[in-house]
Amino acid sequence: MGAYGEALAVRRLAAAGMIILARNWRCRDGEIDIVALDGDALVICEVKTRSAGPYEDPMAAVDQAKADRLRRLAAHWLDQHGGPPQGGVRIDVVGVRLPSRGAPQVEHVRGVT
């Protein structure tokens, strides 16, 4: 389910004009789901996928601890890839809901932290 949600997120980001640099990038502190360029800004993107049912909203899954971890991971990416781009760094979240019937619902929120 997670890989399917990430594939939907990649399509949404690419359709918005972003260039996907990496998927599932890992370092010693964890993983970044998607790294992309939006113009001259680097985007660190967390993807949360939920199936139909009484589960929390996918967007609610990114709490302060998760946001702090994403900032640390972004710093590792920048260390390994030559520092921040001219447009800076932004952290986005893509929430994917998979209803029991019908098309998936994909929500992209920019600059969550």
Side-chain angles (χ1 to χ4, degrees):
M1 182 170 67
Y4 178 63
E6 286 181 15
L8 292 172
V10 164
R11 281 196 282 183
R12 170 63 61 93
L13 299 175
M18 294 187 191
I19 298 168
I20 307 303
L21 300 177
R23 290 179 66 177
N24 305 114
W25 180 83
R26 290 178 176 83
C27 69
R28 69 180 182 270
D29 288 339
E31 177 183 305
I32 299 173
D33 293 332
I34 301 170
V35 181
L37 278 177
D38 187 9
D40 62 353
L42 183 73
V43 178
I44 304 301
C45 188
E46 178 73 7
V47 180
K48 292 296 182 186
T49 305
R50 299 290 184 264
S51 59
Y55 306 106
E56 72 178 338
D57 183 274
M59 303 312 259
V62 180
D63 58 11
Q64 190 59 48
K66 175 68 94 170
D68 291 343
R69 188 182 68 76
L70 289 169
R71 281 192 286 277
R72 283 192 306 276
L73 291 169
H76 286 300
W77 170 273
L78 295 172
D79 286 346
Q80 292 185 18
H81 293 87
Q86 184 176 13
V89 179
R90 185 177 81 222
I91 297 177
D92 291 2
V93 176
V94 175
V96 179
R97 285 185 164 272
L98 303 173
S100 55
R101 295 182 192 179
Q105 301 161 347
V106 181
E107 179 183 6
H108 175 205
V109 178
R110 296 169 184 255
V112 297
T113 66

